[in-house]
Amino acid sequence: MTDGPDVEVLVVGAGVTGIHQLYRAREAGFTTLLLEAGRGVGGVWYWNRYPGARLDSESYTYGYLFSEELFEGWEWRERFAGQPENERYFNYAVDRFGLRDLIRFGARVTSAVYDEDSTTWLVHASDGTVTRARFVVAATGVLSAPVFPNVPGREDFKGVAHHTGLWPHDPVDFRGKRVAVVGTGSSGVQVVPAIASEVASLTVYQRTPNWCTPLSNEPITEEKQAELKSGYPRLRDVLNESVSGFLHEGVERTTFQDPEPERREFYERMWNSPGFSKVISHYADMLTDKAANADWCAFMADKIRSIVKDPATAERLIPRDHGWAGKRPPFVTGYYETFNDPKVTLVDIRETPMVRVTEKGIETTDGPKEFDVIVWASGFDFGTGALNRMGVRGRGGLPLEEYWADGPRTFLGLMCHGFPNFFFPGGPHGAAGNNPRYGGDQVDFIADAVTYARDHGCRVIEVSAGPEESWNEMVAELAAYSPFGEHSYFFGANIPGKPRRFLLNPGGRPKLREVMQEVLEAEYAPLLTPATPIEGAQ
């Protein structure tokens, strides 16, 4: 007979969600352990330490809000904190709560197999750790599985090469080097201006441009610090109720209610406004009226042309395949201005595709170019990438990657049928917005559910097929109304062969909370009733 579990709650991943889940498990009296692949905490802020890496959510809205003591003990230095400050914050949180002894570092999960007889998971990690757990919470994140372009010869390059999502701890020396940056998504547009002043030459390889607007970062003054501290209760309450998880307020006015002069003045304010206010505080119909969206895009295109001196380069930097927020909008500091530097070159790989990577650089159809350093800012396998690489096997040995072969099937974006006692907060079918706020709702739901199960003598939490199907029907139905197009990584468009399924919850935080409340009112009945056999299980 199989022995009992080594721990009751095993958490995977020491990012913003995993640390929160570990804290909730310990506070609820569970024996708990967290396995982390890296050598430190912070998740995305541990791995993405490239030059220019920075939040585009206001720092004080991104950190934890469940502890006033924690909030009082930390002062953010900038409106949008950089990677070093974010990493320091998560170390501060872990140590303030005394969680470090519950974390095993250098332990990447290589398999997690459900044992039906004992209703536990047997989890193996790369350091040899073997842990049997009643519940597994895979807080692996949606942007934690780096991908590279499908171009031959990448391993042949003899110079220095790093992916932005796997950046080394030791600083990379760019001084006087010939540098290539491949990719102009959220990471690429941050690293380009950050290194341009150091390099001998900088070549930026772009597949498709994005609508980049100013981040408008600034230091947090002493007056603002005092305001944040005294206003903590209201800030917490507003963010906990906010649909987007931000403090930005919406407007009721629609685009063409304003005559053109007032509209241009409003656009100018939006262009210079901080971060996601450009999405949330824009005209009310900006994401629903194509003419309104096109009008704003024309304004942004003119902005790009006014900043970038070379007309041909400016035109290459203007998106043609999507409108505003058709992809996740990056927020930048000095990105367009960088292309006025004579040592910076933009290569459109739709015009001159990459042929191969050579020992000395990159060859396109326009010929080879030599480099000392290649920065792969080529993104991530969003949503499902990390989970599908974990070796998760549910009832009857069913592989998670097979169950999700046609796209993720989830309930609440945090569990799925056939994988009992297995949760993935912050995973596929999460909401667009300020991730820690939405993820925090999921963390609390999981903590309350496992506590209820323990207190009522239930060994298994598993969503039945019906509620899961209803949730996925909602995702498919409402995805048609999302501003994000199928060319976005929110549909898996950046991964060749990946099913084009919407990877977010288009109902957002309101829909998540609505269904969670239904489960609570039913005393978790949809999760604690006997499960039906899993189709495809052996």
Side-chain angles (χ1 to χ4, degrees):
M1 182 174 178
T2 305
D3 294 333
D6 301 314
V7 296
E8 292 166 298
V9 179
L10 180 68
V11 182
V12 182
V16 59
T17 303
I19 293 169
H20 189 181
Q21 194 77 68
L22 180 68
Y23 172 81
R24 284 295 317 267
R26 189 197 62 183
E27 293 303 290
F30 289 99
T31 56
T32 186
L33 174 70
L34 187 151
L35 300 179
E36 164 56 42
R39 296 293 175 181
V41 302
V44 66
W45 301 110
Y46 172 86
W47 297 102
N48 291 260
R49 52 183 66 244
Y50 59 85
R54 183 173 297 279
L55 277 171
D56 53 17
S57 302
E58 281 77 4
S59 309
Y60 42 85
T61 72
Y62 187 87
Y64 297 121
L65 297 176
F66 56 82
S67 166
E68 185 169 5
E69 178 188 0
L70 188 76
F71 189 90
E72 289 282 345
W74 182 263
E75 289 192 350
W76 294 100
R77 299 178 182 178
E78 297 179 273
R79 180 192 288 266
F80 301 104
Q83 181 275 330
E85 185 174 4
N86 294 322
E87 188 179 15
R88 286 194 301 271
Y89 172 78
F90 288 111
N91 276 283
Y92 155 76
V94 163
D95 292 331
R96 191 70 174 252
F97 290 135
L99 299 174
R100 197 168 294 273
D101 289 344
L102 300 176
I103 303 174
R104 189 174 183 93
F105 295 105
R108 181 181 297 277
V109 170
T110 56
S111 70
V113 179
Y114 184 67
D115 178 63
E116 298 190 46
D117 291 336
S118 65
T119 64
T120 60
W121 288 84
L122 189 64
V123 180
H124 287 76
S126 57
D127 68 341
T129 298
V130 180
T131 309
R132 187 172 293 279
R134 176 74 62 206
F135 303 103
V136 173
V137 182
T140 51
V142 290
L143 295 171
S144 57
V147 294
F148 294 86
N150 185 22
V151 56
R154 186 170 55 82
E155 301 297 332
D156 297 336
F157 181 61
K158 299 300 184 183
V160 175
H162 298 292
H163 193 288
T164 51
L166 296 169
W167 205 257
H169 283 244
D170 295 330
V172 176
D173 185 7
F174 291 102
R175 292 172 299 176
K177 302 295 176 62
R178 301 165 298 174
V179 180
V181 174
V182 181
T184 55
S186 295
S187 300
V189 299
Q190 286 184 328
V191 74
V192 164
I195 66 173
S197 63
E198 302 178 47
V199 303
S201 67
L202 177 58
T203 304
V204 181
Y205 289 88
Q206 171 188 273
R207 182 181 60 179
T208 52
N210 288 288
W211 292 111
C212 300
T213 55
L215 179 64
S216 300
N217 192 24
E218 62 184 5
I220 296 178
T221 64
E222 291 184 10
E223 292 77 14
K224 182 65 174 179
Q225 296 285 7
E227 178 188 325
L228 289 170
K229 293 291 191 292
S230 64
Y232 165 78
R234 180 180 180 278
L235 180 142
R236 176 200 58 207
D237 293 346
V238 169
L239 289 171
N240 283 342
E241 294 304 319
S242 166
V243 171
S244 63
F246 289 102
L247 294 175
H248 309 302
E249 296 181 355
V251 298
E252 296 182 359
R253 211 161 65 256
T254 57
T255 304
F256 298 110
Q257 283 181 319
D258 281 350
E260 186 169 353
E262 285 86 346
R263 203 162 66 243
R264 297 296 155 185
E265 183 180 340
F266 181 77
Y267 284 165
E268 193 68 39
R269 291 200 304 274
M270 281 291 98
W271 176 265
N272 291 299
S273 66
F276 275 95
S277 62
K278 298 179 184 68
V279 178
I280 299 163
S281 301
H282 219 306
Y283 285 119
D285 59 347
M286 184 51 59
L287 301 184
T288 57
D289 186 299
K290 290 184 178 180
N293 197 294
D295 195 57
W296 166 241
C297 288
F299 174 88
M300 290 189 291
D302 286 342
K303 277 288 188 182
I304 296 168
R305 294 183 184 106
S306 73
I307 296 170
V308 180
K309 295 176 181 177
D310 177 59
T313 300
E315 293 305 315
R316 290 188 178 99
L317 290 166
I318 296 171
R320 314 288 178 185
D321 66 335
H322 67 283
W324 173 240
K327 296 182 179 180
R328 188 200 188 281
F331 303 106
V332 297
T333 302
Y335 176 65
Y336 292 124
E337 291 83 350
T338 303
F339 292 96
N340 293 328
D341 188 327
K343 64 177 181 285
V344 179
T345 304
L346 179 68
V347 176
D348 188 332
I349 59 174
R350 293 172 302 177
E351 298 174 2
T352 56
M354 282 189 184
V355 176
R356 65 179 60 85
V357 179
T358 69
E359 290 186 2
K360 295 183 178 182
I362 295 174
E363 182 180 346
T364 69
T365 55
D366 196 37
K369 195 163 186 176
E370 295 186 359
F371 299 107
D372 304 302
V373 182
I374 297 177
V375 176
W376 296 104
S378 43
F380 301 87
D381 186 349
F382 181 85
T384 56
L387 291 165
N388 278 341
R389 291 162 170 77
M390 271 181 58
V392 178
R393 301 292 180 264
R395 287 188 184 275
L398 180 64
L400 181 63
E401 63 270 26
E402 287 188 16
Y403 191 62
W404 286 357
D406 294 324
R409 297 155 67 181
T410 81
F411 178 63
L412 300 173
L414 53 76
M415 65 181 75
C416 55
H417 182 51
F419 297 81
N421 297 351
F422 182 77
F423 308 93
F424 39 89
H429 295 167
N434 195 2
N435 285 338
R437 306 283 68 84
Y438 185 94
D441 292 347
Q442 293 181 313
V443 165
D444 289 339
F445 181 86
I446 293 167
D448 293 343
V450 297
T451 300
Y452 183 94
R454 177 193 63 191
D455 295 348
H456 289 79
C458 300
R459 292 157 58 91
V460 174
I461 298 175
E462 180 184 1
V463 65
S464 53
E468 180 187 80
E469 183 62 25
S470 296
W471 181 264
N472 286 275
E473 288 175 354
M474 179 276 296
V475 170
E477 179 181 348
L478 296 186
Y481 301 97
S482 169
F484 301 116
E486 292 195 9
H487 40 256
S488 166
Y489 65 63
F490 293 136
F491 277 89
N494 63 320
I495 308 297
K498 187 169 182 173
R500 295 296 183 265
R501 298 289 185 271
F502 198 47
L503 299 171
L504 295 176
N505 161 21
R509 207 176 186 188
K511 188 64 178 180
L512 175 75
R513 288 184 164 182
E514 174 192 328
V515 180
M516 282 181 172
Q517 185 60 34
E518 292 173 359
V519 174
L520 292 176
E521 291 175 356
E523 296 184 328
Y524 297 96
L527 310 183
L528 301 177
T529 51
T532 55
I534 306 304
E535 183 179 347
Q538 300 299 315

